[in-house]
Amino acid sequence: MAMTGVLRPGHAQIRVLDLEEALHFYRNVLGLVETGKDASGRHYFKGWDERDHNSVIIRQADRAGIDFFGFRVLDVPTLNQLEKDLNAYGVPTERIPAGELLETGERVRFQIPSGHLIELFAEKKMVGNGLAAVNPAPWSDDAERGIAPLRFDHGLLYGPDVNKVMDIFVNVLGFILTEFVTLPDSDVKGALWLSCSIKAHDIAFVEHPEPGKLHHLSFMLESWEKVLRAGDIIGMNEIPVDIGPTRHGITRGTTIYAWDPSGNRFETFCGGTQNYPDWDPVAWNWEGLAKGGLDYPQQKLHETFLTVVS
């Protein structure tokens, strides 16, 4: 599919309870590359193979969770047009000035019905992945520290009115619905997987009474073997695990879910289906979710996965 509008997840800012504890986790256990700190005390990270200056921003706060989730778009004219399209659809926007995030251009911010703040931006400094521009090696030294994900891959957000959220993402931002789960004894979609690329998903939403909640941020690894290695590192550092290692029926991704020291869930993920815009979305009912949609080998639902958010 032509990448002409929204390109990919660009960044997420999350709140942590103990900054020093969080810095150790994100630097050394998850193994992200730290790229800066701003005057307000926020720290900036990226996956080792990401080219943009940052994709994960953390700040200390008195409660965990997510502040905003941003997407990179093709260019400034695309950013301006998408803002006009959002406004025409009845979605108010605000402009965040360039430089408010380190090395990031002007951002268009708007709130969606689930209570989350979403941002679009067209400019962020490219810092590369530590490899040569000509005849590069297959990986850099940063690929060996901690879990060392290639990139920040996607997020799952919990909040109300997710079908209204889907309308905005599909009808205005050009995403495709790749998979969905209907609520028990209903044809109402209660969980949605949305993609702006050919990935299994770039963002997902689940119906939840409290607005603005974070279920997890996901980090891409190269292989099932790397996911298993992540499990070893998680265990060696006594990180509490939610699910895994296992495979989802939904998206077919292989996965481990665990919590950072503040209680923000994170995922180490690889694989997953590839989708095209002419494909119909894959439908799951509640029975299918329980039988293998969530955890295919164990064929069960996990209570913590369904209820614990930050």
Side-chain angles (χ1 to χ4, degrees):
M1 85 188 269
M3 303 292 283
T4 58
V6 180
L7 299 182
R8 60 179 178 273
H11 57 238
Q13 179 170 296
I14 59 172
R15 302 184 296 271
V16 299
L17 305 180
D18 183 315
L19 183 59
E20 289 306 314
E21 193 176 38
L23 288 173
H24 170 72
F25 171 79
Y26 283 97
R27 286 170 180 157
N28 302 314
V29 180
L30 189 53
L32 297 178
V33 179
E34 188 169 9
T35 56
K37 176 185 176 183
D38 66 22
S40 69
R42 296 180 294 186
H43 288 255
Y44 294 72
F45 296 88
K46 73 178 193 73
W48 75 262
D49 201 28
E50 290 181 292
R51 275 64 167 176
D52 286 353
H53 177 272
N54 61 78
S55 58
V56 176
I57 307 107
I58 66 172
R59 71 174 182 94
Q60 184 156 331
D62 58 5
R63 62 188 179 93
I66 188 166
D67 288 329
F68 51 79
F69 192 109
F71 292 91
R72 183 155 193 160
V73 307
L74 180 64
D75 52 25
V76 171
T78 301
L79 181 68
N80 295 337
Q81 184 60 54
L82 286 172
E83 183 175 31
K84 291 178 183 177
D85 294 342
L86 285 162
N87 295 159
Y89 205 75
V91 180
T93 57
E94 65 171 319
R95 289 271 178 157
I96 310 298
E100 196 276 337
L101 282 182
L102 283 185
E103 307 293 356
T104 305
E106 194 172 26
R107 292 129 63 204
V108 171
R109 177 182 287 177
F110 53 99
Q111 187 170 54
I112 55 176
S114 60
H116 298 93
L117 293 176
I118 301 296
E119 299 183 341
L120 307 175
F121 66 94
E123 299 174 318
K124 190 179 293 244
K125 182 179 180 181
M126 289 275 190
V127 297
N129 61 359
L131 301 177
V134 178
N135 303 329
W139 46 269
S140 73
D141 291 342
D142 290 321
E144 291 293 288
R145 186 180 63 254
I147 293 170
L150 282 79
R151 66 171 186 252
F152 165 50
D153 189 74
H154 65 266
L156 172 55
L157 307 179
Y158 270 42
D161 296 322
V162 298
N163 285 276
K164 293 179 181 178
V165 171
M166 178 182 66
D167 290 342
I168 294 170
F169 273 81
V170 171
N171 296 326
V172 183
L173 301 180
F175 283 63
I176 57 172
L177 177 67
T178 60
E179 304 199 38
F180 64 88
V181 178
T182 52
L183 296 172
D185 303 315
S186 170
D187 61 358
V188 174
K189 297 178 180 68
L192 312 162
W193 285 258
L194 297 157
S195 179
C196 60
S197 59
I198 64 166
K199 287 161 50 184
H201 54 317
D202 290 295
I203 195 166
F205 294 93
V206 168
E207 188 74 23
H208 185 71
E210 296 178 272
K213 292 298 182 179
L214 171 66
H215 187 275
H216 70 267
L217 298 183
S218 183
F219 297 91
M220 174 61 70
L221 301 178
E222 289 179 283
S223 66
W224 175 234
E225 288 76 17
K226 292 286 189 180
V227 174
L228 296 176
R229 176 179 176 274
D232 291 339
I233 294 170
I234 288 167
M236 291 162 65
N237 287 275
E238 300 182 351
I239 303 299
V241 172
D242 187 13
I243 302 178
T246 190
R247 177 196 286 277
H248 293 309
I250 299 170
T251 78
R252 302 184 196 160
T254 54
T255 180
I256 300 173
Y257 292 93
W259 283 281
D260 79 2
S262 300
N264 295 306
R265 188 189 280 102
F266 70 96
E267 180 187 25
T268 55
F269 175 90
C270 82
T273 53
Q274 293 188 345
N275 297 278
Y276 293 90
D278 60 328
W279 289 12
D280 291 330
V282 176
W284 295 80
N285 56 32
W286 196 258
E287 292 75 17
L289 176 67
K291 189 169 176 60
L294 175 58
D295 186 338
Y296 203 85
Q298 293 194 68
Q299 303 266 307
K300 62 181 284 190
L301 291 175
H302 297 257
E303 183 65 23
T304 51
F305 188 89
L306 297 180
T307 60
V308 177
V309 292
S310 60

